[in-house]
Amino acid sequence: MNPHLARRAFGGRRLLVGVCGGVAAYKVVETVSELVQAGAEVRVAMTPEATRFVAPLTFEAVSGRPVASDLFRSHPAAGEGGEVHIALSDWPEAVLAAPATANFIAKLAHGLADEIVSTTILASAAPLLLAPAMHHRMWGDPATAANVAALRARGVAFAGPVEGHLASGEVGMGRLTGQDEILRALAGVLPGEGDLAGLRVVVSAGGTREALDPVRYLSNHSSGRMGHALAAAAEARGARVALVTAAEREAPAGVETVRVESAAEMATALERALEGADVLVMAAAVADLRPRERSAVKLAKADLPAALDLDPNPDLLAALPRRAGLTRVGFAAETHDLLAHAQAKLEAKGLDLIVANDVSVPGIGMGSADNAVTILGRQGWRRDVPRAPKEAVADAVLDAVLEVRKSALGRKLES
Ligand code: PMT
């Protein structure tokens, strides 16, 4: 998970990680480490079987706290003579158990409590996430399926498993899901809604490609990083997100993603995605021109025109709906007179906000990991966001969206 998003999700949160006896137990060390680096307070409990795969000392080192691995041995969390499982069960805001073995899942489904992790979970009211890992036949067994269904019905969340290489050497469904997926799912079970909960946010990303023939196209240097960071940040903050992207990057987890190539495809996808939307953020670099003719077959070198006939693409943002309740945010990619050009685009395209970035400065703007922007709104509203990773800039843009939505609501209530 991106460190910025991880800090936002887990900073200051109290998390209990229960480690179970599977080969993938070693991967949970990394999970605990990431949570600690994100600023979470993490306590680790281990089943006796888990301690045969990884020494408690390893988890003690990464979590910075004593590990509970014995139901009957005292633990600082319980103080003098206190019950360890009760003290541990009261403390966390959420519990993750990984790798959740078939046996561990069966125990939870039947309320069995015969070691410190299952006993603590049985006593805890905190939301629970299980990340299963086991042989594919054990995952596919009807008993496991029934246990998983019973736990789901009681509100237990699952991350994975996924298909992949298993300890047996076979490939099948039963591999512990990736770190990112576990952290994203854990963020999802933590109580407390994000500040964008209830909002549908539509984001566009990437540079559109305008085809001349099946192998050649006109485009620009946009990587889609800014738009994908916006979509991921909005999802992490509780919004339902649709991302319309022309970029060949991985889709952010949990985000409904539509892949497009040309400006015309982007326009159609955005129109659909915007039904019922509350926020539109156009981070895409829509190609301004497209070849007049598109050949269905690859043009031979000898047939390539000396000069291309080009048509302008329509301005998608200017044409997309303007309606009450929809906050429209554009980006302005400029190389000079940044703020004057951005201000003109804010007005011409009927936007609530425009995010101005200077794409001539090395290290920010197109293709880079960082950006530095000035966000302009109506009636002189302005925020400067100094150079930062695009994930942090994305959060600043979403903060601005919330601020203008609140002030618009305030104006409505006053009138
Ligand atoms: O993708 P990255 O590599 O991370 O780079 C990010 C970015 C620099 C592309 C991004 O931050 C950005 O500035 N995106 C907008 C780029 C752009 O097309 O700017 P513009 O000033 O030409 O357009 C102004 C606005 O109108 C933009 O919101 C754009 O999406 C929209 N537009 C432009 C042309 C067009 N035909 N239709 C549009 O809707």
Side-chain angles (χ1 to χ4, degrees):
M1 189 183 241
N2 171 279
H4 175 81
L5 290 182
R7 272 195 302 278
R8 198 165 180 120
F10 300 115
R13 307 305 292 259
R14 296 184 315 278
L15 302 167
L16 176 71
V17 176
V19 189
C20 310
V23 184
Y26 75 93
K27 295 183 181 171
V28 186
V29 176
E30 189 59 38
T31 313
V32 171
S33 169
E34 283 210 25
L35 290 168
V36 170
Q37 286 175 56
E41 282 184 63
V42 184
R43 284 184 175 163
V44 177
M46 300 177 76
T47 65
E49 293 77 17
T51 65
R52 300 181 66 174
F53 287 94
V54 179
L57 189 60
T58 307
F59 282 105
E60 258 169 45
V62 291
S63 69
R65 290 160 180 270
V67 167
S69 56
D70 187 333
L71 184 54
F72 303 110
R73 190 177 302 158
S74 63
H75 184 275
E80 194 107 339
E83 288 179 299
V84 180
H85 62 291
I86 299 301
L88 280 182
S89 67
D90 280 342
W91 177 80
E93 293 173 82
V95 181
L96 162 69
T101 59
N103 178 59
F104 189 77
I105 289 172
K107 286 200 297 185
L108 293 189
H110 294 275
L112 294 177
D114 60 351
E115 35 67 26
I116 184 70
V117 182
S118 54
T119 309
T120 302
I121 288 174
L122 192 63
S124 180
L128 172 63
L129 173 71
L130 298 181
M134 65 195 73
H135 186 267
H136 65 89
R137 282 199 296 278
M138 296 169 85
W139 178 252
D141 189 275
T144 305
N147 291 333
V148 169
L151 290 171
R152 278 193 206 279
R154 283 180 226 154
V156 175
F158 283 78
V162 291
E163 184 144 340
H165 181 83
L166 303 174
S168 63
E170 295 161 84
V171 171
M173 180 63 84
R175 189 178 164 84
L176 187 75
T177 192
Q179 203 71 243
D180 269 12
E181 176 57 20
I182 293 176
L183 295 185
R184 202 185 66 79
L186 188 57
V189 302
L190 267 169
E193 287 191 329
D195 55 3
L196 296 179
L199 295 182
R200 176 162 169 84
V201 175
V202 177
V203 180
S204 72
T208 63
R209 292 175 177 189
E210 312 299 327
L212 175 62
D213 69 15
V215 297
R216 302 178 179 95
Y217 58 82
L218 292 181
S219 191
N220 55 61
H221 292 296
S222 168
S223 63
R225 249 178 140 133
M226 189 68 247
H228 282 233
L230 277 155
E235 197 277 338
R237 291 169 67 164
R240 281 184 304 118
V241 184
L243 170 66
V244 178
T245 180
E248 286 176 356
R249 325 179 54 78
E250 201 181 325
V255 168
E256 173 194 326
T257 303
V258 184
R259 305 262 175 200
V260 296
E261 265 203 12
S262 63
E265 285 175 16
M266 183 168 274
T268 309
L270 282 172
E271 265 166 43
R272 270 195 213 125
L274 275 171
E275 269 173 43
D278 303 286
V279 180
L280 165 66
V281 187
M282 277 293 281
V286 182
D288 289 310
L289 297 166
R290 61 168 187 259
R292 182 163 300 158
E293 305 282 339
R294 180 199 169 141
S295 168
V297 293
K298 182 185 170 191
L299 295 168
K301 202 170 170 184
D303 296 336
L304 285 173
L308 282 180
D309 283 331
L310 300 173
D311 281 336
N313 267 328
D315 188 321
L316 310 193
L317 196 42
L320 285 166
R322 303 171 190 202
R323 57 175 146 76
L326 176 65
T327 307
R328 292 159 42 90
V329 183
F331 270 71
E334 310 295 344
T335 56
H336 57 284
D337 298 329
L338 179 68
L339 297 187
H341 285 159
Q343 185 67 38
K345 287 176 184 175
L346 173 82
E347 282 153 27
K349 295 173 192 251
L351 303 172
D352 299 288
L353 291 170
I354 193 148
V355 184
N357 45 193
D358 189 334
V359 290
S360 68
V361 178
I364 61 165
M366 280 191 180
S368 52
D370 292 353
N371 212 353
V373 302
T374 297
I375 311 173
L376 300 178
R378 305 205 153 263
Q379 289 141 10
W381 191 99
R382 173 177 172 163
R383 288 286 175 283
D384 291 301
V385 184
R387 179 171 171 168
K390 280 181 176 162
E391 290 74 19
V393 174
D395 266 327
V397 171
L398 296 171
D399 289 344
V401 166
L402 279 178
E403 200 174 312
V404 299
R405 283 182 69 84
K406 271 188 202 130
S407 63
L409 184 69
R411 277 199 304 277
K412 216 167 139 190
L413 291 175
E414 274 166 26
S415 63

